[in-house]
């Protein structure tokens, strides 16, 4: 079956540091890949997505590239802010089926 | 555009009691999902509806959980009787164009 493996947290960084959160997946066929973010006290929000190999999703300074050869979709940001503190979830959906399979989440804390 | 609405936001019950959660999806979204998110884990799909029909309920514990989506709009998820391990956040989502939009969730504590 499908699965998503995320870098274990929690992750603590100083403001303006570079961020990478690793995500690898196992899936049949050609899945779509997503990063969702959950801010404290709020629901899950779509951060970015990529639907085919070599696509790059980007939003709010975050980027992730769909790497079919390494089955990865790592999340990066060049300079994090305190407001980026949240839990980040990597997820996939199979082609033709919108059902999401999530990773366990990575809690990110940015300190000023 | 209004987002996915859920109620209640919080619920505390004792084991063996029953509880129901309500979800109103984004207008026009035909597909609706219920997820269970246990503390420290990613959300796990419980059931998926397409309009008022069930598409996938393979991970729904049917001996105690039930869900319906009458008229293809609002949905309710019920647990009867609740167990301690049902303590979790229950998330509702609706989708369009391969993107799911989540509600704020209902946090359930079973004592």
């Amino acid at each position: 079956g499908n699965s998503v493996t995320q870098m274990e947290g929690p992750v603590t960084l100083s403001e303006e540091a570079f961020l990478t959160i690793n995500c690898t997946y196992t899936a049949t066929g050609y899945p779509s890949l997503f990063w969702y973010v959950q801010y404290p006290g709020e629901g899950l929000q779509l951060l970015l997505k990529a639907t085919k190999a070599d696509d790059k999703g980007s939003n709010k300074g975050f980027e992730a590239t769909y790497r079919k050869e390494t089955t990865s979709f790592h999340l990066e940001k060049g300079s994090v802010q305190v407001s980026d503190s949240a839990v980040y979830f990597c997820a996939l959906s199979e082609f033709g089926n919108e059902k999401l399979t999530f990773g366990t989440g990575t809690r990110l804390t940015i300190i000023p | 555009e209004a987002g996915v609405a859920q109620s209640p936001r919080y619920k505390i019950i004792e084991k063996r009691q029953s509880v129901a959660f309500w979800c109103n999806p984004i207008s026009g979204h035909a597909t609706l999902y219920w997820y269970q998110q246990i503390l420290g884990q990613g959300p796990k799909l419980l059931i998926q509806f397409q309009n008022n029909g069930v598409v996938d309920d393979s991970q729904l514990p049917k001996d105690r959980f039930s869900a319906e989506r009458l008229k293809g709009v609002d949905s309710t998820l019920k647990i009867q009787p609740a167990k301690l391990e049902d303590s979790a956040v229950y998330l509702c989502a609706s989708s369009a164009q391969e993107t799911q939009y989540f509600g704020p969730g209902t946090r359930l504590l079973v004592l």
Side-chain angles (χ1 to χ4, degrees):
Chain A
N2 299 333
S3 67
V4 175
T5 301
Q6 269 185 252
M7 171 180 177
E8 289 192 12
V11 175
T12 302
L13 294 173
S14 297
E15 205 165 20
E16 300 183 3
F18 183 85
L19 168 71
T20 300
I21 300 177
N22 290 338
C23 171
T24 57
Y25 67 90
T26 302
T28 54
Y30 302 97
S32 294
L33 302 174
F34 305 82
W35 277 100
Y36 278 83
V37 59
Q38 191 169 37
Y39 297 104
E42 298 184 17
L44 283 164
Q45 301 175 26
L46 178 66
L47 181 60
L48 53 84
K49 69 177 184 180
T51 58
K52 62 183 187 296
D54 300 325
D55 268 3
K56 176 185 284 188
S58 61
N59 186 26
K60 299 182 180 180
F62 290 89
E63 293 183 339
T65 301
Y66 188 141
R67 300 286 188 201
K68 187 171 183 294
E69 63 276 13
T70 55
T71 62
S72 65
F73 192 56
H74 304 323
L75 183 68
E76 296 182 337
K77 187 175 184 181
S79 176
V80 293
Q81 306 301 314
V82 172
S83 57
D84 294 326
S85 297
V87 182
Y88 292 81
F89 291 92
C90 186
L92 68 81
S93 67
E94 293 179 0
F95 179 77
N97 182 345
E98 295 175 338
K99 181 178 92 169
L100 287 170
T101 299
F102 285 89
T104 54
T106 301
R107 181 175 298 278
L108 173 67
T109 302
I110 308 300
I111 54 177
Chain B
E1 178 182 85
V4 176
Q6 288 188 248
S7 68
R9 292 295 308 274
Y10 305 92
K11 190 74 177 179
I12 300 175
I13 61 173
E14 295 187 350
K15 60 183 179 184
R16 291 189 289 273
Q17 286 187 323
S18 63
V19 64
F21 313 127
W22 173 83
C23 173
N24 181 241
I26 293 173
S27 178
H29 285 191
T31 310
L32 183 147
Y33 310 79
W34 284 101
Y35 290 85
Q36 180 192 58
Q37 185 179 11
I38 292 173
L39 187 65
Q41 300 181 18
K44 182 186 81 172
L45 180 70
L46 292 174
I47 189 166
Q48 175 184 354
F49 290 95
Q50 180 76 18
N51 295 309
N52 61 348
V54 175
V55 174
D56 184 348
D57 63 357
S58 57
Q59 298 200 77
L60 187 74
K62 298 181 187 60
D63 57 333
R64 299 183 301 105
F65 286 65
S66 64
E68 60 183 10
R69 193 183 182 199
L70 300 177
K71 302 181 183 177
V73 182
D74 294 6
S75 177
T76 57
L77 176 70
K78 296 180 182 178
I79 308 175
Q80 181 178 14
K83 292 185 175 181
L84 297 176
E85 59 261 36
D86 298 331
S87 294
V89 177
Y90 291 85
L91 297 168
C92 179
S94 64
S95 67
Q97 298 175 336
E98 295 188 352
T99 299
Q100 292 190 27
Y101 300 87
F102 286 80
T106 297
R107 186 176 298 276
L108 173 68
L109 180 61
V110 182
L111 301 176

